[in-house]
Amino acid sequence: MMQLPTAAVLGYPIKQSLSPPMHNYWLQTMGIPGMYLPMEIKPDDLKDVLLAMPKLGFVGCNLTIPHKEAAMALVQDISETAKAIGAVNTLQFNSDETIYATNTDAEGFLQNLKYHHHDLSRFKQQALVIGAGGASRAIIYALQQEGFQKILIANRTRSRADALAEHFGVPCETLDWAETEAAMAETTLLVNTSSLGMGDDAPWPFALDALPKDALVTDIVYKPLMTGLLKAADARGNPIVTGVGMLAHQGVPGFELWFGARPHVDEDVLSLLEASL
Ligand SMILES: NC(=O)c1ccc[n+]([C@@H]2O[C@H](COP(=O)([O-])OP(=O)(O)OC[C@H]3O[C@@H](n4cnc5c(N)ncnc54)[C@H](OP(=O)(O)O)[C@@H]3O)[C@@H](O)[C@H]2O)c1
């Protein structure tokens, strides 16, 4: 049995995760006895590990790639948010050995924007979302819940964008990858949810010439912190929000579930994350 309240992040691979330093920083600075561990778990082992963790005394865990969808079949109680998104990233182990699961990526995304722009109302006319993978589902859900008037989804593989628009319904629409630059003209929030810009392998492909200069631009890719998209947007004077804050804000609800106190996202924890990239 764990001696201290202990949570973990399960992924495969896991060594890239910034969640352990972030949660352990909060535990330490808030004076809470507890631990947060990285655990490398292969997909085939997820079921056995989730069955064992409550018995070992874990209070809960985060899930990252590739477990976010598969875990839905292994838990007993799923939040409405996670059901709508179709993936879970935060689990709480109950004393009766049942598991509650939710998804905090949508809240993390919105809180990151609001940390920098308290009032998002001027950006709500049209969101242009690039990408239609797992992360995109949480972002589209967040934008829909927040009352964005139009959500345009552009994805390299059009059929995946169409499937997301069908799943979420109004006000989502899709467009061809080749139409993306033209769609920037009416855009008030541009979001990259694709892996474009991650590492150096796939540079940002679209010119921003048509994008209004007061449109907010954000990228959920945070390695590098200043992606090609953010550099281009910043150079022409658009307001930008980097992606590492989403990671910090999505961690807040889980920490509160497990350790009973709500941590604050501040410049210190953001600097810690940025230094760990
Ligand atoms: N900031 C945060 O807290 C946070 C949270 C979650 C994820 N992320 C980041 O978000 C990114 C996406 O994650 P995910 O889980 O959604 O991944 P995913 O499910 O694998 O989806 C990848 C997406 O990127 C697109 N894509 C990949 N390579 C491309 C290329 N060369 N050109 C154009 N499009 C390309 C894919 O398009 P196709 O459908 O055409 O393949 C798909 O839309 C990752 O970099 C991840 O690290 C950040």
Side-chain angles (χ1 to χ4, degrees):
M1 288 288 283
M2 313 304 297
Q3 299 297 308
L4 295 171
T6 302
V9 56
L10 279 49
Y12 190 79
I14 198 58
K15 68 175 189 301
Q16 81 292 347
S17 176
L18 297 180
S19 291
M22 178 177 77
H23 284 282
N24 286 315
Y25 170 84
W26 280 331
L27 286 167
Q28 201 179 359
T29 54
M30 293 168 74
I32 296 174
M35 284 192 297
Y36 185 101
L37 307 172
M39 290 174 54
E40 185 160 275
I41 305 297
K42 290 182 178 155
D44 285 350
D45 294 333
L46 182 65
K47 185 176 179 184
D48 290 342
V49 170
L50 289 182
L51 278 172
M53 285 179 82
K55 298 190 205 325
L56 292 168
F58 281 89
V59 289
C61 67
N62 284 126
L63 299 173
T64 187
I65 293 171
H67 301 314
K68 289 183 177 188
E69 285 102 25
M72 292 189 80
L74 307 173
V75 299
Q76 292 73 37
D77 184 13
I78 302 177
S79 73
E80 291 305 314
T81 298
K83 281 183 196 160
I85 293 171
V88 296
N89 74 340
T90 302
L91 271 48
Q92 183 181 32
F93 303 138
N94 299 319
S95 50
D96 62 359
E97 293 189 4
T98 59
I99 302 177
Y100 167 73
T102 189
N103 190 313
T104 63
D105 280 338
E107 181 176 343
F109 172 75
L110 276 181
Q111 291 306 324
N112 186 35
L113 294 187
K114 289 180 181 178
Y115 180 83
H116 298 278
H117 298 275
H118 183 66
D119 179 8
L120 294 180
S121 51
R122 68 184 186 283
F123 303 120
K124 288 187 180 175
Q125 193 181 311
Q126 177 173 294
L128 175 55
V129 177
I130 311 297
S136 181
R137 299 179 72 91
I139 308 297
I140 290 166
Y141 175 80
L143 297 172
Q144 192 182 39
Q145 292 293 308
E146 190 63 18
F148 275 70
Q149 291 159 34
K150 192 170 184 183
I151 302 171
L152 286 180
I153 311 166
N155 192 50
R156 178 179 60 177
T157 310
R158 170 87 186 242
S159 57
R160 293 186 81 189
D162 290 340
L164 277 194
E166 194 177 307
H167 174 81
F168 287 102
V170 177
C172 300
E173 295 173 29
T174 62
L175 62 154
D176 273 340
W177 195 234
E179 295 168 336
T180 305
E181 285 184 6
M184 292 201 190
E186 304 290 320
T187 292
T188 43
L189 173 70
L190 173 60
V191 189
N192 178 43
T193 75
S194 78
S195 14
L196 277 168
M198 195 166 68
D200 290 323
D201 358 319
W204 177 254
F206 301 118
L208 302 183
D209 300 351
L211 186 72
K213 290 265 172 70
D214 54 359
L216 180 59
V217 179
T218 188
D219 199 328
I220 72 163
V221 171
Y222 55 78
K223 198 169 180 172
L225 187 66
M226 284 298 283
T227 59
L229 166 62
L230 292 179
K231 278 186 192 161
D234 192 45
R236 65 197 294 280
N238 284 88
I240 62 165
V241 174
T242 62
V244 80
M246 175 176 164
L247 176 82
H249 287 279
Q250 66 76 32
V252 169
F255 187 99
E256 189 175 17
L257 275 179
W258 307 319
F259 302 114
R262 194 169 178 84
H264 291 291
V265 174
D266 57 18
E267 291 307 308
D268 289 343
V269 76
L270 293 174
S271 300
L272 173 92
L273 292 174
E274 286 173 21
S276 311
L277 288 175

